[in-house]
Amino acid sequence: MKTLDHISHIYFIGIGGIGMSALARYFHAAGKKVAGYDKTPSQITKSLEELGIVISYQDTSEAIPAEFKVLDKTLVVYTPAVPKTHKAYQFYLTEGFQIKKRAEVLGWLTQEKFCLAVAGTHGKTTTSAMLGHLMAFCELPVTAFLGGIAENYQSNLIQQGEEIVVVEADEFDRSFMQLYPNIAAITSMDADHLDIYGDAEALQKSFRDFAAQVKEDGVLFVKNGLPLDGITVGIEDDSAYAALNIKIENGAYHFDLKHPDGLIEDLVLNLPGRHNLSNATTALAMALHYGCPADKLAKALFAFKGVNRRFTYRIKKANEVLIDDYAHHPAEINAVHSAVREMYPNKRVLAVFQPHLFSRTRDFMEEFAASLAQFDELLLLDIYPAREEPIEDVTSEKLLELIPLTRKEVISKAQLEEKLQASKATVKVMMGAGDIGEEILKLTKTLAV
């Protein structure tokens, strides 16, 4: 077991990332000195600065505080989204500092604790947030590192003790191979991150490899239908854990949970979309297996408010609805569309989408076109590059050509407010994993007036 006892200072390169910021919060709460770099200010960096964490937005080694340049006392944590040419990264590398990926550090923290891990190309953030919430509600000594801001806690870190750790197991860059969970779940294995994996089979192999890392006496839950051995979870099917007798009342799901030892009746989930029902069934299965009592789980689920940017209502009036979602893959866009139509049948729906990564847009161009064509109107923003350079002939204009809608156009972020106000659609859905989330916060203030 590697310890961090001799480390007093931790510097995060990419501290504003959702996974990085949770670690930064954790170490700050543990009494370590924490600082970091990020490209641009955001709601996350602002919340970290409010804790007293110093953040630089200049990519220079001079911007690193002097106390974080002491070799034997400083650990450097970076995200793979940061290029290796980054000047702070190069400084620490040249000077011989201990530099670790976020996933490795998360692996260290889970080594000697009871670990529950949720993996999957979609659903892992909401499922792990639900699971952390269920465990905390059951008054268990849990720390949960989340890939989103849980609305109940207004944080991506739940801290109620150190014995149990709940983590989102990320397949990007094979990060989840640092984890050896006691209880794990795999929610989905759709092709994604082909810039890392090359093809869908390589991605599926990594999920099989992750499944093999569940401890010998541990348990793996899998969504029914996935090509994996494990305890099945599903909706209205023959899974070991299944949501049955589903009804929608006042925008909430009412359902029963069948499990190997019986039935829990009339559970209530206040999140829209059958994908969230699937997420809830998985989280309940993991918590039940751990030993959480059924009556407490029912109360905890009812109280769960969701994850920020996962079908988050920014405006909810009779004649105007604005929904914010992190969806950045065709399967996620399909899930959002399905939830919108379920909640707002016969209403006109405008979608605003910011594609994320040139490689993902290229790899799923036709699938994106098919998923976006389901809406009544479409506004496309330019592709958010994140860690990538442009790819020739991969543009939002090219994607737009493939979408068989009459009301569609590519716009700039500066045009967003004007175009949204001009639309007659009752329901407006804004989707993407880039900086569209920051744009929505600005728009909400002006549109809600």
Side-chain angles (χ1 to χ4, degrees):
M1 165 69 177
K2 294 183 175 76
T3 68
L4 298 172
D5 294 346
H6 66 292
I7 296 293
S8 56
H9 291 64
I10 304 177
Y11 193 83
F12 288 85
I13 304 175
I15 196 167
I18 196 71
M20 292 281 276
S21 57
L23 275 179
R25 286 177 186 280
Y26 175 83
F27 284 121
H28 175 77
K32 308 282 187 191
K33 291 283 183 105
V34 175
Y37 159 87
D38 210 81
K39 200 174 180 179
T40 51
S42 65
Q43 290 295 115
I44 289 176
T45 57
K46 186 183 170 199
S47 67
L48 293 176
E49 287 171 325
E50 285 168 358
L51 293 174
I53 293 171
V54 175
I55 300 174
S56 162
Y57 302 98
Q58 268 84 44
D59 177 14
T60 64
S61 59
E62 290 77 22
I64 302 168
E67 62 181 313
F68 290 85
K69 292 180 175 177
V70 181
L71 187 65
D72 59 346
K73 290 185 176 177
T74 304
L75 171 69
V76 181
V77 185
Y78 76 100
T79 166
V82 169
K84 297 292 192 292
T85 53
H86 191 278
K87 292 185 177 67
Y89 178 86
Q90 283 298 322
F91 165 80
Y92 281 122
L93 191 67
T94 306
E95 296 295 320
F97 279 75
Q98 188 178 16
I99 305 175
K100 296 292 175 189
K101 282 185 185 176
R102 179 192 71 89
E104 279 185 271
V105 178
L106 197 56
W108 288 357
L109 294 177
T110 62
Q111 264 181 29
E112 290 185 351
K113 295 170 182 174
F114 193 95
C115 177
L116 296 95
V118 181
T121 41
H122 328 295
K124 58 182 175 288
T125 297
T126 301
T127 305
S128 55
M130 280 181 183
L131 179 59
H133 169 73
L134 295 176
M135 305 287 277
F137 200 96
C138 291
E139 299 175 349
L140 293 165
V142 64
T143 295
F145 295 95
L146 309 175
I149 305 297
E151 298 285 6
N152 293 72
Y153 307 88
Q154 288 302 304
S155 179
N156 51 354
L157 180 71
I158 300 172
Q159 276 192 295
Q160 196 171 276
E162 291 282 336
E163 289 171 36
I164 307 160
V165 181
V166 170
V167 291
E168 178 175 326
D170 191 0
E171 75 281 0
F172 173 71
D173 201 35
R174 297 180 171 84
S175 293
F176 56 12
M177 296 309 292
Q178 302 289 339
L179 302 171
Y180 296 87
N182 302 83
I183 300 175
I186 297 177
T187 62
S188 53
M189 285 165 48
D190 292 320
D192 198 5
H193 303 302
L194 300 186
D195 55 322
I196 301 290
Y197 287 99
D199 59 32
E201 172 48 37
L203 175 74
Q204 292 206 353
K205 182 184 181 302
S206 77
F207 277 105
R208 291 194 296 271
D209 291 343
F210 169 71
Q213 295 200 168
V214 175
K215 290 182 176 164
E216 264 188 52
D217 57 348
V219 172
L220 175 67
F221 291 93
V222 299
K223 185 179 180 182
N224 200 358
L226 291 180
L228 293 165
D229 292 328
I231 298 174
T232 52
V233 179
I235 297 176
E236 294 181 323
D237 60 16
D238 60 353
S239 299
Y241 290 78
L244 304 175
N245 307 320
I246 301 160
K247 301 187 293 289
I248 297 175
E249 292 177 14
N250 302 320
Y253 284 110
H254 291 247
F255 66 102
D256 300 335
L257 181 74
K258 179 193 79 172
H259 59 94
D261 298 320
L263 192 72
I264 304 174
E265 295 184 338
D266 201 25
L267 290 160
V268 182
L269 173 67
N270 288 302
L271 301 185
R274 284 175 81 86
H275 60 296
N276 279 324
L277 195 54
S278 180
N279 296 334
T281 306
T282 305
L284 287 164
M286 295 174 81
L288 261 179
H289 185 85
Y290 182 82
C292 292
D295 59 335
K296 280 204 169 179
L297 286 178
K299 289 174 188 164
L301 185 70
F302 179 76
F304 184 68
K305 296 176 185 173
V307 177
N308 184 44
R309 300 215 60 228
R310 299 323 193 263
F311 212 94
T312 299
Y313 286 101
R314 297 297 177 195
I315 300 171
K316 195 176 184 183
K317 301 177 186 171
N319 61 345
E320 186 181 20
V321 176
L322 179 63
I323 295 163
D324 177 6
D325 199 278
Y326 189 71
H328 56 283
H329 183 282
E332 294 165 350
I333 294 170
N334 288 336
V336 170
H337 175 264
S338 173
V340 168
R341 296 298 187 196
E342 191 173 53
M343 293 297 146
Y344 299 98
N346 310 316
K347 297 288 187 188
R348 187 165 189 82
V349 183
L350 163 72
V352 182
F353 180 57
Q354 181 187 49
H356 184 263
L357 298 179
F358 294 101
S359 61
R360 184 183 282 124
T361 307
R362 175 200 63 202
D363 295 339
F364 301 103
M365 187 78 79
E366 290 184 5
E367 292 88 344
F368 274 123
S371 62
L372 292 166
Q374 299 172 101
F375 296 92
D376 302 308
E377 303 174 25
L378 176 67
L379 299 173
L380 272 184
L381 295 173
D382 286 333
I383 297 169
Y384 185 78
R387 55 189 178 269
E388 293 184 339
E389 295 299 319
I391 296 172
E392 191 180 346
D393 217 25
V394 178
T395 63
S396 289
E397 286 78 8
K398 191 81 174 173
L399 173 57
L400 195 76
E401 286 174 20
L402 298 176
I403 299 168
L405 285 176
T406 50
R407 299 179 69 87
K408 61 174 183 177
E409 61 180 312
V410 175
I411 64 165
S412 68
K413 284 184 278 193
Q415 295 174 279
L416 265 171
E417 184 182 338
E418 173 204 336
K419 295 291 183 183
L420 283 176
Q421 287 182 326
S423 171
K424 299 286 193 289
T426 307
V427 182
K428 301 175 176 81
V429 186
M430 297 183 67
M431 298 174 287
D435 59 3
I436 190 170
E438 297 296 316
E439 294 298 322
I440 292 164
L441 297 179
K442 295 179 209 166
L443 286 165
T444 302
K445 289 174 186 169
T446 53
L447 294 175
V449 174

